[in-house]
């Protein structure tokens, strides 16, 4: 992304003014007519990068974070993580079954669900495996391929508690097994805890029905928890007394600790942040003014502070946060920076309203070891070379 | 939109449970693989309706408000209003010239602009002619065709004041002429007033670059003002001491009053609201519980209150507002309603933080007459028939 600084802007206007004004003064024929459903400009190219895999139905694709503005991720660029591909579901045929330890089992159509009182909220969604490469030295070369399994949308749905109340959850019930209608019948055990008061049976995303990759026509949304438990193409909630220890919460999405024990059901995504400009693969045009920007988020509520270091962690400056800062949503941070043209090591550090401060990679590894591929939220370091190129700090 | 009520939900589950469970239990083959840029489900059809016109380059298309969830309008469904079609602009060739009464004329490339400090905010955008048909008895049959020239996006851009400061606006400057790069060279006179502190040189919409229909690669965004003054495909800001009284602020977007005088530069969009469910063209399935929902917005800041009447205005009930309520953005309101199956007349009334209360159509006409096709913000009435069908209250 070639950029010039403010001083050069003035030189530009002096140097190129007349010529460019001439060009800008050329006339133009009438443009395209109205359209029913618009598309982006042919000059705009960002796309989700797909992780190479023998089974493209069971892979992931990442949001181009360094090309994104603000906090809303366009639905077409929301990250994907599928275990058996994207099913083609006719919403008129889809049903949600709520059974198990309930007084009144329910079988709901999409019309039944959409008719119930709903709410819309902006929340981030992050795969439990996002930035997992950071545990080893196998991280991606840029923000997209290292941190792109996180996105943020406005979700619309029916509060889960309202439907569970209709079904009448029995006192001995402590969990529910959420099951997807995809080919692998994704199943996750969901604890019936306080956090679930925010959960939605979500049917809307960024103003439209859910996109197919995000669970059309219905998904479980549990704000702040890892993506995999927010089961897509949701077809059943089986209320139980115990978890089922399904494949995706035992073989996957659990953390093997240094002592050989495994942490399981570590659902909450802790405070995390990443600088998206400058970030891996970009190149600064030369010394001068730039705006450092990036994203921060936490599963524990609001981000209260983001600090940025420009000298490898010796000094930290507080970044400006775009307002309002939303609950369990992406938060956009910004900091003006005059680059002196010398090599620099930059990083961001997020703090949330629980008081939690994002740890360094080393601090995280000291406690959790390096056996896990999940739940990495250490500070992300970018290294800027004197030629303006940007690479991983660990590289 | 067929809907069943909560009681019938329970009957459904009892009556259809086993059979549907059987269906839901059928297996499914692996689904579609990952994709670079996603699309909506083939089962999702809402589109912008285009006003019939001999010149489709100079018309408008409306957002399907009754099909929208939450407050974010998908960029593909943002309303359009073009005076000479949608130009195809190469962002690398585009320039913004800032000249006139300034110390240092500027010629900026898109790279120059994106490099400057930016901010992202969610704001509504509304055509000054939205719901203009309400002045007469020529309004559209549904929410889309009567109120659909309003949408809401997260916009990203550079604060205008920052760039004007770079250029050094002279003391005698009181206006600027914003000019578009479309075929008609759209021009509007913009007063350099306090409201403009919130103005952006916007290059981002809902996380992506602006859509072509919204001014790609650059538009003026003046939150709370009528859409036409927020010039798209922005190519020039000519700073002046006086307005230029251009065609689109004299022949159009001005209000002919009963005394024969014309109100001009009535830029701020006053508090307004519309019930989107139930609304024209929908049909209620029968007596029982429904959630009435709709949208409210104001150019004067935040919506503080939305009231809904179910009996033609005798009694007003306060609706619940999705939180947080944002500054100069769509606000989603909701109210549970148990319909008794009899004919009903429903409407919504918005109040904003300036204390302004949305007037009735009659109150508005009493003051402004019926000569204008612009700036209508009277209360919108829907009539529900005993058979559940919904039509315009005025029809």
């Amino acid at each position: 992304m070639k950029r010039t600084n403010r001083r050069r802007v003035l030189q530009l206007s002096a140097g190129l003014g007349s010529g460019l004004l001439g060009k800008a003064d050329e006339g133009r024929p009438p443009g395209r007519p109205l359209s029913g459903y618009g598309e982006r400009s042919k000059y705009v190219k960002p796309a989700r990068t797909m992780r190479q895999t023998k089974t493209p139905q069971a892979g992931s694709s990442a949001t181009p974070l360094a090309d994104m503005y603000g906090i809303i991720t366009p639905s077409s660029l929301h990250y994907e993580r599928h275990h058996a591909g994207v099913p083609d579901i006719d919403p008129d045929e889809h049903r949600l079954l709520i059974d198990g330890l309930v007084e009144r089992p329910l079988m709901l159509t999409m019309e039944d669900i959409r008719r119930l009182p709903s709410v819309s909220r902006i929340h981030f969604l992050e795969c439990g495996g996002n930035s997992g490469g950071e545990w080893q030295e196998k991280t991606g070369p840029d923000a997209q391929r290292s941190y792109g399994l996180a996105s943020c949308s406005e979700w619309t749905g029916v509060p889960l508690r309202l439907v569970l109340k209709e079904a009448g959850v029995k006192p001995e019930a402590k969990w529910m097994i959420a099951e997807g209608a995809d080919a692998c019948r994704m199943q996750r055990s969901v604890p019936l805890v306080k956090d679930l008061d925010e959960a939605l049976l979500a049917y809307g995303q960024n103003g439209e029905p859910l996109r197919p990759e995000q669970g059309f026509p219905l998904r479980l949304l549990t704000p702040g928890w890892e993506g995999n438990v927010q089961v897509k193409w949701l077809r059943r909630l089986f209320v139980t007394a115990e978890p089922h220890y399904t494949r995706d919460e035992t073989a996957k999405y659990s953390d093997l600790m240094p002592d050989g024990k495994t942490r399981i059901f570590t659902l909450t995504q802790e405070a995390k942040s990443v600088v998206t400009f400058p970030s891996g693969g970009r190149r600064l045009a030369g010394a001068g003014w730039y705006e450092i920007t990036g994203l921060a988020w936490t599963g524990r509520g609001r981000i209260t502070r983001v600090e940025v270091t420009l000298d490898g962690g010796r000094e930290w400056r507080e970044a400006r946060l775009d307002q309002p800062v939303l609950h369990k949503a992406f938060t956009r941070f910004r900091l003006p920076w005059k680059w002196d043209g010398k090599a620099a090591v930059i990083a961001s550090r997020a703090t949330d309203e629980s008081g939690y401060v994002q740890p360094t990679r080393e601090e995280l590894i000291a406690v959790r070891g390096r056996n896990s591929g999940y739940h990495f939220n250490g500070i992300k370091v970018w290294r800027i070379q004197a030629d303006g190129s940007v690479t991983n700090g660990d590289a």
Side-chain angles (χ1 to χ4, degrees), chain A:
Chain A
M1 194 195 286
K2 182 176 150 303
R3 292 181 169 216
T4 56
N5 72 23
R6 289 203 220 171
R7 287 307 123 209
R8 269 194 58 210
V9 164
L10 300 181
Q11 291 155 21
L12 255 181
S13 55
L16 309 178
S18 55
L20 291 174
L21 182 52
K23 181 170 193 59
D25 269 344
E26 287 166 15
R28 209 182 274 280
R32 277 198 292 102
L34 305 163
S35 61
Y37 192 78
E39 295 177 355
R40 61 183 184 168
S41 162
K42 70 187 183 197
Y43 297 101
V44 177
K45 305 291 189 189
R48 297 183 287 215
T49 50
M50 296 168 236
R51 196 154 298 174
Q52 295 308 328
T53 158
K54 292 199 200 83
T55 54
Q57 296 92 343
S60 64
S61 71
T63 295
L65 293 180
D67 296 304
M68 300 285 91
Y69 306 126
I71 64 169
I72 296 291
T73 307
S75 298
S76 295
L77 292 171
H78 190 293
Y79 85 85
E80 300 173 276
R81 174 67 177 108
H82 313 313
H83 296 252
V86 181
D88 177 2
I89 299 178
D90 179 345
D92 295 338
E93 298 294 330
H94 190 72
R95 301 290 184 272
L96 173 64
L97 173 65
I98 299 162
D99 62 344
L101 296 175
V102 297
E103 302 295 343
R104 297 173 295 275
L106 301 181
M107 175 73 74
L108 306 179
T109 66
M110 287 307 300
E111 293 297 350
D112 295 334
I113 292 167
R114 280 193 297 261
R115 178 164 173 172
L116 297 172
S118 297
V119 64
S120 301
R121 287 193 243 109
I122 295 173
H123 291 303
F124 76 87
L125 193 69
E126 181 181 24
C127 176
N130 190 32
S131 67
E134 301 282 327
W135 287 114
Q136 313 298 334
E137 273 76 27
K138 295 182 303 186
T139 188
D142 51 38
Q144 179 171 21
R145 284 172 283 182
S146 59
Y147 276 67
L149 298 183
S151 306
C152 186
S153 301
E154 181 188 44
W155 303 97
T156 297
V158 175
L160 174 68
R161 64 173 180 282
L162 189 154
V163 175
L164 291 182
K165 191 176 170 208
E166 286 289 329
V169 174
K170 295 180 176 175
E172 63 269 35
K174 296 285 178 287
W175 295 75
M176 64 180 187
I177 314 304
E179 182 179 303
D182 49 345
C184 67
R185 287 293 157 80
M186 172 59 60
Q187 288 190 334
R188 286 297 305 265
S189 304
V190 182
L192 301 179
V193 295
K194 186 84 179 67
D195 262 16
L196 226 54
D197 289 352
E198 292 182 7
L200 300 178
L201 297 174
Y203 55 80
Q205 176 185 8
N206 293 336
E208 290 181 301
L210 290 178
R211 286 301 182 86
E213 307 95 304
Q214 296 313 316
F216 179 82
L218 188 71
R219 82 174 298 162
L220 178 63
L221 195 86
T222 56
W225 288 1
E226 66 181 1
N228 181 251
V229 79
Q230 306 187 46
V231 174
K232 298 183 285 188
W233 314 294
L234 186 69
R235 68 182 288 273
R236 187 177 194 178
L237 295 172
F238 182 69
V239 180
T240 65
E242 299 291 340
H244 278 195
Y245 300 102
T246 68
R247 193 188 71 156
D248 279 82
E249 58 206 21
T250 51
K252 295 193 176 76
Y253 301 103
S254 56
D255 303 305
L256 179 57
M257 303 296 283
D259 63 4
K261 292 192 175 148
T262 295
R263 273 192 192 171
I264 189 171
F265 304 125
T266 49
L267 302 175
T268 301
Q269 300 294 92
E270 301 288 358
K272 191 164 174 176
S273 66
V274 60
V275 171
T276 55
F277 182 85
S279 60
R282 305 287 177 172
R283 191 188 198 90
L284 300 181
W289 281 103
Y290 294 91
E291 182 178 70
I292 294 176
T293 186
L295 294 165
W297 60 94
T298 172
R300 300 212 183 268
R302 280 181 184 71
I303 290 290
T304 52
R305 186 181 201 203
V306 178
E307 300 156 289
V308 172
T309 182
L310 307 164
D311 56 13
R314 281 187 294 282
E315 189 201 341
W316 292 87
R317 306 183 193 180
E318 186 149 359
R320 172 169 57 86
L321 308 182
D322 278 356
Q323 298 298 319
V325 172
L326 301 177
H327 174 80
K328 297 182 181 179
F330 272 180
T331 297
R332 170 69 59 175
F333 64 86
R334 306 174 186 276
L335 182 72
W337 176 46
K338 189 169 189 180
W339 184 43
D340 59 11
K342 300 201 185 87
V345 177
I346 67 172
S348 60
R349 178 171 68 187
T351 301
D352 69 23
E353 64 183 321
S354 77
Y356 179 93
V357 180
Q358 191 183 357
T360 64
R361 177 169 181 269
E362 295 64 32
E363 289 168 336
L364 205 58
I365 288 174
V367 175
R368 309 246 304 265
R370 301 176 65 166
N371 298 327
S372 177
Y374 299 98
H375 309 116
F376 180 92
N377 72 314
I379 288 169
K380 174 63 175 176
V381 177
W382 298 114
R383 190 177 302 277
I384 298 171
Q385 320 293 347
D387 67 0
S389 60
V390 187
T391 60
N392 276 304
D394 314 324

